[in-house]
Amino acid sequence: MSAADVRSMTQTDLMSWRMEEDPILRSTIVSIVLLDKSPDQDRFIDVMHRAIDAVPMFKCRAVASSFPWIPPRWVDDRDFDLSWHLRRMTLQEPGTWNEVLEFARTAGMAAFDKDRPLWEFTMLDGLADGAAALVVKVHHSLTDGVGGMQLTREITDETREGVSRDGESSRSAPAAVTPIDHLTGANAVAHSVGTAAGSAVRAGARTLRHPVDTGRGAARILGSTLRMVRPATTTLSPVMAARSTRRSFGVLELPVAALAAAAIATQCSINDAFLAAVLLGMAEYHERLGAVPPKLMVTLPISLRTDRDPLGGNRITLARFALPLDVEGPDQLMHRVHDIVGSWRNEPAIPLSPHLAGMLNLLPVGVTGNMLKHMDFVASDVVGSSTPRYLAGAEITRQCAFSPTLGSAFNVTLMSYTTHVCVGINADAGAIPDLSALIAAVSDGFRAVLAVCPQEIDATVTVAC
């Protein structure tokens, strides 16, 4: 087996892989791509070959080491069968959105066959007016949200007719490999620990030269590291504490212009407006159940991806912190969220996240798993295309994503596409027994946020489930 055939998981990928020992922590990403018509099958197969050429990991299976702390290797699947991963079904016409959503939900609850590459694409034909839906299921160890959008650009076109991409560099050039990817087996673990140790030695040398300034810098990094890895021992929500393997999916939809206007009016970001809407919804949801905590613990993925990184894989870190429910007024809440999230994005230990993941991977899964299970919710913000995209001759009309709960009560993922954003909610049915109540409350939260900028902009919030 040549060196080109083998690549070790990064420590970040390994973390999502190891969590699979507990099915509650299953790291499956599901997304739904709605199309205005059924795409051409031959063209669809061609673009999938193109995607696999661009991201060779999608033709690899994970081969586990006999030692739990050593990352599995991505190895070319010699028995790779595209037809097993690329499926097509026809719903009884006219198929409905609820049928698509239910298919996506059950797909998300099913474990992958880990003897094969960890992805499945299912085309559902038979929707009303000749429309179709592509249900994408990918293991988180293969990609993160930003990487998923990069892959989408590889398999879609800017026009319905499309253009030939034969001879493009993405077909012939191998995927770039980062330094950590060259490390296999125990070397990868040693690299993470060794990097931390090397940093300490260098810090010690700097301290001898500049004892005051370096000491303060080292103290900041140490304090930041402790904040990043500190354990969460209990959920803050008194009503979302139960956990199960059952999942419920729901979707909200609203105009991106309205959300952007609310953010601009308060001099905040769209992500601030998004998080504030969810928090307002959480306050209403808890008030209906008679128990409103002052704060909730959120897991927020922070992208570390740069232009130099290859397609696929994870280039994120997970920041875990508390956000308030007791701030009156959506505009005040957006400013408070802006300050809190901004401070976490600028934590000194953020650049060390891949190495912190390597150290956490040395802990038993139960320890890190319990830390994640005590988070109240996960929130992700994924920026999609601002212009229409086409898949094998079919126009994409909407995109929504359901990211893994990672042990929390629910995951809420905002994904923008052209003029609208879709808010996908993946809820643990043990923690959220009545998804409709949660969706109603979050819908009200978005309406409150959009109301901070009353003007002639469509601010309709639609429940699409």
Side-chain angles (χ1 to χ4, degrees), residues 434-447:
D434 185 359
L435 181 63
S436 62
L438 177 73
I439 290 177
V442 174
S443 299
D444 288 343
F446 274 100
R447 293 186 185 97

Side-chain angles (χ1 to χ4, degrees), residues 98-161:
N98 283 339
E99 290 178 89
V100 174
L101 197 63
E102 177 62 14
F103 182 92
R105 183 188 75 87
T106 55
M109 291 172 62
F112 281 99
D113 179 354
K114 291 190 174 181
D115 291 325
R116 300 177 185 271
L118 305 175
W119 64 274
E120 300 167 10
F121 283 19
T122 304
M123 187 69 67
L124 301 178
D125 296 314
L127 294 177
D129 300 321
L134 176 64
V135 177
V136 177
K137 176 181 175 180
V138 179
H139 195 279
H140 212 319
S141 62
L142 278 180
T143 190
D144 52 32
V146 176
M149 288 299 96
Q150 292 175 335
L151 178 63
T152 298
R153 287 193 290 272
E154 288 291 329
I155 68 175
T156 59
D157 299 297
E158 296 180 353
T159 64
R160 195 178 293 275
E161 295 74 21

Side-chain angles (χ1 to χ4, degrees), residues 233-436:
T233 58
T234 183
T235 57
L236 297 185
S237 169
V239 300
M240 302 191 309
R243 297 293 182 262
S244 74
T245 59
R246 295 174 292 119
R247 298 291 179 265
S248 301
F249 281 10
V251 180
L252 303 175
E253 183 181 293
L254 59 148
V256 67
L259 193 61
I264 292 171
T266 54
Q267 297 183 316
C268 293
S269 69
I270 285 182
N271 189 63
D272 299 330
F274 160 53
L275 289 174
V278 176
L279 291 170
L280 289 169
M282 283 291 92
E284 178 180 323
Y285 179 78
H286 283 78
E287 185 175 1
R288 290 178 181 178
L289 296 175
V292 184
K295 298 178 180 180
L296 289 180
M297 291 295 293
V298 61
T299 298
L300 186 73
I302 296 176
S303 178
L304 305 177
R305 191 175 293 272
T306 69
D307 293 338
R308 299 184 301 276
D309 289 320
L311 296 176
N314 283 275
R315 298 295 185 273
I316 61 171
T317 187
L318 299 178
R320 299 172 300 115
F321 52 89
L323 287 174
L325 294 189
D326 57 358
V327 176
E328 294 185 5
D331 49 350
Q332 293 93 334
L333 182 55
M334 275 189 270
H335 283 291
R336 183 72 181 124
V337 167
H338 179 82
D339 292 341
I340 295 172
V341 173
S343 68
W344 277 92
R345 290 187 185 278
N346 292 306
E347 279 285 352
I350 290 290
L352 297 177
S353 295
H355 310 299
L356 297 179
M359 299 178 71
L360 289 174
N361 283 332
L362 297 175
L363 299 175
V365 170
V367 174
T368 50
N370 281 333
M371 292 168 59
L372 294 172
K373 287 179 182 178
H374 289 133
M375 304 305 294
D376 293 299
F377 69 97
V378 184
S380 302
D381 179 0
V382 181
V383 179
S385 176
S386 60
T387 58
R389 305 292 299 184
Y390 297 84
L391 176 62
E395 182 179 358
I396 297 174
T397 58
R398 291 290 188 273
Q399 284 184 277
C400 54
F402 308 91
S403 301
T405 63
L406 300 179
S408 67
F410 67 94
N411 180 300
V412 55
T413 300
L414 181 145
M415 176 177 286
S416 64
Y417 175 71
T418 62
T419 61
H420 283 72
V421 295
C422 287
V423 181
I425 298 176
N426 176 10
D428 184 326
I432 312 289
D434 185 359
L435 181 63
S436 62

